[in-house]
Amino acid sequence: MMSGRTTARRAAALLAWCALVTGASAVVTTPAVAAVPTGTMSAGTVTDGRSLLYVNNPDSLRNTDLAEAGRSISGHHLTAGGVYRAYFAHVNRTSPAVSLHYGIRLTNGRSTATVVTRTRSVWRAGAAGIGGAALADFFNGSENTTITVPGQGQAWLYRSDQLGSGLPAAVNQYLVGAADFTTTGTLVAEVLAWSTSLPTGGSYTYPGYAIDLRDGQAQHRFDKGLSPISAATLTITSTLHTGKVEDQLLSATAGGNTACPTNSYANTGWATNLNHLLNAGALGGDLVSLTTPEGPLVTPCVNSPFGGGKPNLRNWGVGYTVQLTVDNQSYAPRTLALVASGIGGAVNVAYRPPGGTTWQSALVGDLASFTWATVTAPPGLSTFTASFAVSGPGPAGLLHRLRTTG
């Protein structure tokens, strides 16, 4: 309920405005700024009941990483009754050059069959800019594919040669894909890449946490693992007064990841999908931590246990929900925009504006403003919900602003 003071203030503002517009010779003027809009933003990782199976290691797939060489890329134990999202991003760096397919093979060690239901999936091979479009198509998609893994047997959850056009990734092309699925029994998920022949039967040597060589130096930043978190929520609360203000540079709270400090990205905006170690102003609490196949936990705000390098946990494939609450204390509707730009490079973004039912995509340039959601806040309290997700591969994060346009 409004206080008497608030009601009186708004009534006085309304009377003053009416005095300007009544009479034939009245002139409507732009109201002066009464106060800089204020606000706060917090990020807390939340679970939608879905665990994230994330694979971006090795970042560059080479001939020695392929099933033809007797290797699997990764392996994870999935619990009974689990709900999962698999997400991967690699680049084909084979030499001699071969085209690549990609898949996730399930092994059932029990005597009874296990049923897996795949509810959406996507596969893309091509240039770096495909990531956002791939995620948008993924979120817009829906399927109901039942896969039975026989007792003491195997089946494929996901095979790129059965999805979309089925084209493999040529040398120097990126492999990006995702799948949502549920399982009724304990399984081992084995991630495989191959060129000429589909892997059948047998077992493959798991190379462990691979170290990628860049310019002759080992990089420990590329990660794979399983996380119980596949969704993050950004809560934004903003107060609007009279006047026109370009950007609201909200104070930001890191949120739920206790290994990450609370950060404020003052006078610039707030950043997501960016490791705190790589940018001290970025939120860290929105980033997932991954349990690797080897056992150690990789956490975004501390060095990797594998050689001490900085981890590369940018929340690729993680869906964000933006919850925006606006208290418009002026007397007229105000238009607000959620603006994002790449920070450190271009970013592939999939997004769904408030009230939208279809996901869209954009390749957002480094520090190039991109308006992905616009809302009109009437006088008083109002709430809006929007969604976005970032796709890899790429070195950058997202810089966010809340902008008032009138």
Side-chain angles (χ1 to χ4, degrees), residues 291-306:
T291 301
T292 66
E294 296 85 357
L297 183 70
V298 177
T299 300
C301 291
V302 297
N303 286 340
S304 168
F306 304 99

Side-chain angles (χ1 to χ4, degrees), residues 370-382:
F370 164 70
T371 299
W372 65 277
T374 303
V375 298
T376 299
L381 286 173
S382 54

